[in-house]
Amino acid sequence: MSRNFLETESPKWVEQGIISAEQQQQLLKLYPPDAKAIGLLPLLGSLLVGLSALSLVAANWQGLPEFIRMTLLISALLAAYSTGEYFLRRGNQSVGIGLVGLGLLLFGAAIILTSQMYQLIGYDVTGLVAWAVAGTALTYLYGSRFLFVLTVCIGGIVQGYNTGALGAFSYATAGLTALGLGYYWWRHPDSLLGGVFAAGLLWQTGLLINFLHIKITWFFVPAMLIYAFGDWQSDRPAGRAMQGPPLAAAFLFMLGLALYGEAGSYTNLLRPPLLAYLAALVVVLLISLAGKRARGRLESATDWLLLLPGFYLPGGLPLAVAALVVLYAYTGSMLWRAHREQNEERVTLGTALFILTTMVAYFKLTWEFMDKSLFFLIGGVLLLGLSWYLRRRNAQAFPTDKNQ
């Protein structure tokens, strides 16, 4: 419940005699106005100050003597951490964590600049891994969501630099991100952190697939392992947030196959050895199903419909049609589950995905041979009709909301 919701709804409750005016004020006091928005300002401010300092120093770095450079780096670090600790001890959590985050950014800048001074950065990524280690340690030390997100970003930057500039993959960085931050999220489940953490892991997974030069569909084995991790989380919203990025990646992949699978020129990039791929995917599926069963969420196993390996079909129209079938199966199952669970938000999401799939199917199957004016006319009528039908179903499924 938010303050905005209380400010909107509580006057009606007072008029209807559900609560008294005094109780309304007591409820409002529980939710201070704009506390979160105000709390974010110091964090954003610290980031801007850090970027400004980095830009200024970087522009004049080469002209400074080494002694001055080292003095600047150490002084900036000590100032950021000590003032951050000062504010934290006085109860100003937002400013304190913001300054600690600034110190973490300066620590990374110090590693890069020091390595440049002694020409080390082009040969070894160990220093940058230390940056990720420091971020993980600070996340545990202060228990901060901001530092968690910052460390996920740092891990992605370190891995991106390593694969892009050094032509190697840092398994230490990947392991530190997966295990270090994964354990923290497991002990402190949070929806926002779950989504960010999963996105960060997917980014590093994509870099690994590119580094190994293997078929791109291998990406979905570790991606669905991340999904399965969410199945074992007892906090359902946090676990679902963890599963969002892998499902979004699988949906976009299938959507891309539906749109461009007919070309067939790149289908060889999609097909790993069948038995090895299916065996790996089945192992992850079993881990996922075990987690769903342990948490009583077996009905969500329909998410795995997106992983049906339709890309083994011959390239061309069969591949595009197979991708559309997978998309319809997934969106249909999502709508079925949403209506069964009376989950209005999921109904809205499922409806949007279903309409998007229908648009793609209509475009693929009619664009080349149908008159363009007739194409748009029928497409418009189809979407309007579909929208009316789905809204009618939603109104029937959630009559209480309509009455309100």
Side-chain angles (χ1 to χ4, degrees):
M1 186 180 294
S2 67
R3 184 178 178 87
N4 288 338
F5 178 78
L6 278 177
E7 289 177 341
T8 305
E9 299 296 328
S10 60
K12 299 177 188 175
W13 301 344
V14 175
E15 289 178 6
Q16 295 170 4
I18 299 174
I19 60 174
S20 65
E22 291 76 15
Q23 290 172 326
Q24 179 197 20
Q25 294 304 318
Q26 290 175 351
L27 286 172
L28 288 172
K29 287 180 181 178
L30 295 176
Y31 299 88
D34 298 324
K36 291 183 179 179
I38 293 173
L40 287 175
L41 293 180
L43 303 180
L44 296 174
S46 68
L47 286 175
L48 292 177
V49 170
L51 290 174
S52 172
L54 287 175
S55 301
L56 178 64
V57 173
N60 301 281
W61 188 251
Q62 295 301 329
L64 299 174
E66 284 190 9
F67 173 74
I68 299 296
R69 297 183 200 177
M70 294 303 296
T71 303
L72 279 175
L73 291 175
I74 295 172
S75 301
L77 273 175
L78 292 176
Y81 284 129
S82 59
T83 52
E85 190 64 28
Y86 171 83
F87 281 106
L88 283 172
R89 289 187 179 184
R90 278 153 181 77
N92 198 331
Q93 192 75 10
S94 298
V95 175
I97 290 297
L99 288 168
V100 172
L102 175 61
L104 181 59
L105 291 177
L106 291 173
F107 179 64
I111 291 173
I112 295 171
L113 294 173
T114 304
S115 300
Q116 283 180 346
M117 277 194 293
Y118 298 103
Q119 299 181 350
L120 299 174
I121 194 70
Y123 306 101
D124 188 19
V125 76
T126 306
L128 291 178
V129 175
W131 190 16
V133 171
T136 305
L138 289 175
T139 300
Y140 277 90
L141 180 62
Y142 291 102
S144 164
R145 300 166 77 222
F146 173 67
L147 293 176
F148 184 100
V149 173
L150 201 57
T151 305
V152 170
C153 296
I154 289 171
I157 292 171
V158 172
Q159 202 65 267
Y161 175 81
N162 202 31
T163 55
L166 303 183
F169 186 83
S170 172
Y171 293 97
T173 303
L176 180 68
T177 305
L179 299 178
L181 296 181
Y183 183 73
Y184 180 88
W185 175 81
W186 183 262
R187 296 297 303 271
H188 306 86
D190 182 279
S191 296
L192 173 64
L193 299 190
V196 171
F197 179 52
L201 288 178
L202 288 182
W203 165 253
Q204 295 200 38
T205 301
L207 293 175
L208 176 62
I209 298 299
N210 182 59
F211 168 72
L212 295 176
H213 300 292
I214 57 178
K215 305 294 184 184
I216 59 176
T217 38
W218 279 114
F219 171 83
F220 291 106
V221 174
M224 292 311 287
L225 193 59
I226 296 169
Y227 171 92
F229 188 41
D231 280 324
W232 286 91
Q233 174 57 258
S234 59
D235 186 308
R236 182 55 177 155
R240 199 62 190 166
M242 169 71 83
Q243 295 173 329
L247 289 178
F251 186 88
L252 291 175
F253 174 73
M254 279 297 167
L255 205 63
L257 279 186
L259 281 170
Y260 305 109
E262 195 171 348
S265 58
Y266 57 90
T267 49
N268 287 332
L269 299 174
L270 308 177
R271 297 168 181 156
L274 179 62
L275 291 179
Y277 180 73
L278 290 183
L281 209 56
V282 166
V283 170
V284 179
L285 172 62
L286 292 176
I287 295 173
S288 172
L289 291 178
K292 292 179 187 297
R293 183 179 179 184
R295 302 300 182 191
R297 304 166 188 159
L298 271 177
E299 71 280 358
S300 63
T302 53
D303 288 343
W304 278 85
L305 288 171
L306 280 174
L307 274 296
L308 289 174
F311 49 84
Y312 281 101
L313 290 173
L317 190 60
L319 181 57
V321 172
L324 287 171
V325 170
V326 169
L327 290 173
Y328 271 122
Y330 173 71
T331 54
S333 67
M334 176 185 280
L335 284 171
W336 171 74
R337 281 171 48 203
H339 281 283
R340 185 178 175 184
E341 297 169 1
Q342 296 288 297
N343 188 323
E344 191 169 6
E345 291 182 359
R346 189 169 296 171
V347 166
T348 302
L349 177 61
T351 301
L353 295 180
F354 189 84
I355 291 175
L356 178 62
T357 303
T358 302
M359 290 174 62
V360 171
Y362 179 70
F363 178 83
K364 288 299 298 180
L365 301 178
T366 61
W367 175 258
E368 291 186 359
F369 63 85
M370 186 179 287
D371 179 80
K372 297 302 175 283
S373 60
L374 188 61
F375 172 86
F376 288 116
L377 176 63
I378 295 178
V381 172
L382 176 65
L383 288 180
L384 287 172
L386 191 59
S387 174
W388 171 81
Y389 173 74
L390 291 174
R391 290 184 64 180
R392 187 167 178 268
R393 285 291 308 271
N394 294 349
Q396 291 173 348
F398 306 105
T400 53
D401 291 344
K402 185 177 178 180
N403 293 335
Q404 289 173 358

